């Protein structure tokens, strides 16, 4: 079957929420004194926006085929990523057969390797790769999960990330992952406050509900080990992203030192098969958490997930809405998924990438059946103020 060639690639920037989910208004739980690597500076402790967590904004990539079919995706990366897509990556797609997914990925990655490999450049590559999958699904009139081998279960099961695991439990989620609020610079008092919050949630949620801490790269090995042992008393299920993503040695030691039964998880700021190979071969964690919009897209996540599978390690992607849902439903080593609570008080289920996606599905009672609409099953909301800074 012949497909129309790719006619054009376009990269837009959008501000406010959506894929840049840290770009929220005042008073949102996601910006309320959350421990980060910048918490050692008191002036950047109260708000992550104060050090620029939302400085980039959303990247929207559109890929148009010669017959007018358009695939699109949203991720983070904003204007610098839009530059990379338009000025560098577009050449590997325009005029090409959209089924050449592997070759296009390889050319995007190796042509940018001298300044890329991780971070922003791989965000940009991921955005293009996801848009290409959306286009392929639309051209084939199939959902992306069908392109990936089909569902291994009927519905997705979710845990919730947010400040209110107690409310998440009432909403039907299987667990609640809370942000850690105080880092090592806040000393013993901060540690006690962290544990008090966990104790309160354990009290409200009962013994069997999963509770996890997301440490967002904020700790050192000593603090993380101490936190893990003290939190074990309250049945913490996992300790997430405790250390810098570059500290593979620290993760290896944390996993060795963590209490029996507590899982060590990480990987949302890791990228590509090579980064995850380090995490897996050094036995750094029990669960890897790639973000499909940041780790290299679906094409790379296939390789990462297979590596994890071969080691018996679970792969529970970070956030990323429909882009991860279509993957998770096809994998035996991804038995559940993450849902980020984007309501400012984490007191109701709201679409994760609102307002950028139209038709974005959300869990009901902690479960979701994916529709069989083509591609990722969502449309781009063109009312959000798309800006194309590097139009060619
Ligand atoms: C809550 C975390 O600090 C972060 O905003 C989201 C995240 O790391 C996760 O969902 O995982
Ligand atoms: Mg996290």
């Amino acid at each position: 079957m012949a497909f129309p060639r790719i006619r054009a690639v376009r990269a837009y920037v959008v501000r406010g929420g959506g894929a840049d989910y840290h770009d929220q208004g005042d008073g949102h739980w996601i910006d309320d004194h959350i421990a980060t690597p910048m918490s050692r500076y008191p002036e950047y402790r109260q708000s992550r926006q104060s050090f620029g967590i939302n400085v980039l904004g959303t990247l929207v990539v559109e890929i148009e085929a010669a017959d007018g079919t358009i695939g699109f995706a949203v991720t983070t990366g904003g204007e610098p990523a839009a530059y990379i897509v338009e000025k560098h990556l577009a050449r590997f797609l325009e005029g090409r057969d959209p089924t050449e997914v592997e070759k296009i990925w390889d050319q995007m990655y190796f042509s940018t390797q001298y300044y890329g490999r991780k971070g922003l450049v791989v965000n940009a590559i991921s955005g293009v790769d996801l848009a290409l999958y959306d286009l392929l699904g639309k051209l084939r009139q199939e959902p992306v999960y069908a392109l990936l081998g089909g569902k291994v279960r009927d519905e997705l099961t979710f845990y919730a990330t947010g400040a209110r695991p107690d409310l998440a439990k009432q909403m039907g989620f299987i667990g609640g992952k809370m942000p850690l609020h105080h880092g090592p610079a806040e000393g013993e008092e901060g540690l006690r406050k962290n544990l008090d919050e966990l104790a309160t949630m354990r009290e409200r949620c009962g013994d069997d509900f999963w509770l996890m801490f997301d440490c967002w790269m904020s700790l050192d090995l000593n603090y993380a080990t101490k936190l893990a042992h003290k939190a074990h008393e309250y049945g913490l299920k996992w300790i997430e992203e405790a250390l810098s993503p570059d500290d593979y040695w620290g993760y290896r030691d944390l996993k060795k030192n963590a209490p029996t039964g507590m899982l060590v998880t990480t990987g949302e700021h890791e990228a590509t098969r090579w980064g995850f190979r380090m995490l897996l071969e050094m036995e750094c964690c029990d669960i890897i958490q790639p973000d499909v919009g940041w780790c290299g897209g679906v094409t790379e996540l296939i390789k990462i997930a297979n590596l994890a599978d071969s080691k018996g390690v679970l792969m529970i992607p970070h956030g990323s809405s429909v882009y991860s849902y279509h993957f998770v439903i096809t994998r035996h080593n991804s038995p559940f998924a993450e849902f980020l609570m984007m309501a400012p008080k984490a007191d109701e289920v709201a679409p994760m990438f609102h307002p950028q996606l139209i038709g974005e599905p959300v869990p009901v009672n902690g479960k979701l059946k994916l529709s069989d609409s083509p591609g990722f099953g969502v449309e781009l909301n063109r009312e959000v103020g798309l800006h194309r800074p590097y139009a060619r």
Side-chain angles (χ1 to χ4, degrees), residues 18-202:
D20 193 2
Y21 59 86
H22 289 122
D23 196 18
Q24 303 293 339
D26 289 347
H28 198 290
W29 72 265
I30 209 159
D31 203 32
D32 181 19
H33 200 116
I34 291 176
T36 79
M38 292 296 282
S39 301
R40 71 187 73 159
Y41 303 104
E43 66 273 31
Y44 297 121
R45 213 170 267 167
Q46 180 51 41
S47 154
R48 296 195 280 192
Q49 292 192 11
S50 70
F51 71 72
I53 197 171
N54 59 336
V55 79
L56 291 173
T58 294
L59 167 73
V60 180
V61 179
E62 265 191 337
I63 306 180
E64 184 177 339
D67 68 350
T69 308
I70 294 178
F72 84 98
V74 302
T75 182
T76 45
E79 207 163 305
Y83 182 93
I84 292 166
V85 172
E86 295 260 7
K87 303 284 187 186
H88 200 164
L89 305 181
R91 73 189 68 196
F92 304 115
L93 292 103
E94 286 169 353
R96 298 273 284 272
D97 177 341
T99 62
E100 290 177 2
V101 186
E102 282 288 339
K103 187 169 163 188
I104 289 169
W105 195 96
D106 203 67
Q107 293 184 351
M108 291 195 293
Y109 180 78
F110 286 105
S111 64
T112 55
Q113 197 179 34
Y114 71 98
Y115 68 96
R117 298 176 47 238
K118 293 194 178 198
L120 187 70
V121 176
V122 183
N123 278 22
I125 291 174
S126 307
V128 174
D129 186 77
L130 294 176
L132 191 54
Y133 263 92
D134 191 49
L135 175 66
L136 272 176
K138 285 173 175 156
L139 289 171
R140 290 181 190 267
Q141 286 296 295
E142 280 190 297
V144 170
Y145 66 73
L147 306 182
L148 295 177
K151 297 178 187 173
V152 297
R153 59 188 80 82
D154 288 341
E155 57 185 8
L156 295 161
T157 301
F158 289 88
Y159 77 86
T161 297
R164 296 297 302 271
D166 52 336
L167 301 183
K169 184 180 179 200
Q170 289 167 21
M171 289 180 243
F173 290 95
I174 56 171
K177 187 174 80 187
M178 318 181 253
L180 189 80
H181 283 120
H182 307 280
E186 290 178 79
E188 288 300 318
E189 193 191 343
L191 180 63
R192 205 186 53 250
K193 286 184 186 163
N194 288 332
L195 293 165
D196 286 350
E197 285 171 30
L198 176 60
T200 303
M201 286 303 159
R202 177 55 72 213

Side-chain angles (χ1 to χ4, degrees), residues 52-375:
I53 197 171
N54 59 336
V55 79
L56 291 173
T58 294
L59 167 73
V60 180
V61 179
E62 265 191 337
I63 306 180
E64 184 177 339
D67 68 350
T69 308
I70 294 178
F72 84 98
V74 302
T75 182
T76 45
E79 207 163 305
Y83 182 93
I84 292 166
V85 172
E86 295 260 7
K87 303 284 187 186
H88 200 164
L89 305 181
R91 73 189 68 196
F92 304 115
L93 292 103
E94 286 169 353
R96 298 273 284 272
D97 177 341
T99 62
E100 290 177 2
V101 186
E102 282 288 339
K103 187 169 163 188
I104 289 169
W105 195 96
D106 203 67
Q107 293 184 351
M108 291 195 293
Y109 180 78
F110 286 105
S111 64
T112 55
Q113 197 179 34
Y114 71 98
Y115 68 96
R117 298 176 47 238
K118 293 194 178 198
L120 187 70
V121 176
V122 183
N123 278 22
I125 291 174
S126 307
V128 174
D129 186 77
L130 294 176
L132 191 54
Y133 263 92
D134 191 49
L135 175 66
L136 272 176
K138 285 173 175 156
L139 289 171
R140 290 181 190 267
Q141 286 296 295
E142 280 190 297
V144 170
Y145 66 73
L147 306 182
L148 295 177
K151 297 178 187 173
V152 297
R153 59 188 80 82
D154 288 341
E155 57 185 8
L156 295 161
T157 301
F158 289 88
Y159 77 86
T161 297
R164 296 297 302 271
D166 52 336
L167 301 183
K169 184 180 179 200
Q170 289 167 21
M171 289 180 243
F173 290 95
I174 56 171
K177 187 174 80 187
M178 318 181 253
L180 189 80
H181 283 120
H182 307 280
E186 290 178 79
E188 288 300 318
E189 193 191 343
L191 180 63
R192 205 186 53 250
K193 286 184 186 163
N194 288 332
L195 293 165
D196 286 350
E197 285 171 30
L198 176 60
T200 303
M201 286 303 159
R202 177 55 72 213
E203 179 75 32
R204 290 188 194 166
C205 297
D207 286 343
D208 296 336
F209 190 66
W210 298 357
L211 289 174
M212 300 77 108
F213 265 143
D214 190 321
C215 309
W216 213 75
M217 310 168 276
S218 62
L219 309 182
D220 55 55
L221 179 59
N222 184 41
Y223 190 102
T225 308
K226 195 165 167 184
L227 175 69
H229 281 271
K230 288 190 180 288
H232 191 47
E233 292 168 28
Y234 303 100
L236 189 77
K237 185 169 176 72
W238 77 58
I239 179 165
E240 176 169 322
E241 225 192 4
L243 309 173
S244 158
D246 290 323
D247 190 2
Y248 303 102
W249 306 268
Y251 277 108
R252 177 197 57 200
D253 292 346
L254 180 60
K255 182 168 148 47
K256 274 193 200 134
N257 298 340
T260 307
M262 185 183 294
L263 306 175
V264 174
T265 74
T266 192
E268 73 184 69
H269 295 102
E270 188 54 85
T272 75
R273 75 202 81 158
W274 299 285
F276 282 93
R277 181 176 165 185
M278 283 289 277
L279 287 177
L280 291 164
E281 287 193 357
M282 286 185 65
E283 300 187 356
C284 293
C285 56
D286 300 284
I287 299 180
I288 57 163
Q289 300 168 304
D291 185 308
V292 67
W294 303 343
C295 72
V298 162
T299 303
E300 198 61 3
L301 191 56
I302 294 169
K303 297 173 173 91
I304 294 165
N306 286 343
L307 272 181
D309 205 4
S310 73
K311 298 247 179 208
V313 170
L314 293 185
M315 199 275 305
I316 309 298
H318 170 251
S320 51
S321 184
V322 288
Y323 302 109
S324 64
Y325 304 163
H326 278 255
F327 201 90
V328 167
I329 201 99
T330 69
R331 304 297 305 199
H332 288 291
N333 64 329
S334 307
F336 56 91
E338 175 180 15
F339 188 77
L340 255 160
M341 301 295 280
M342 292 322 304
K345 303 286 172 217
D347 53 359
E348 61 183 332
V349 169
M352 213 188 289
F353 283 177
H354 178 78
Q356 292 156 8
L357 303 182
I358 297 172
E360 184 181 357
V362 293
V364 177
N365 289 327
K367 305 262 188 209
L368 177 65
K369 282 194 198 305
L370 281 183
S371 86
D372 57 4
S373 306

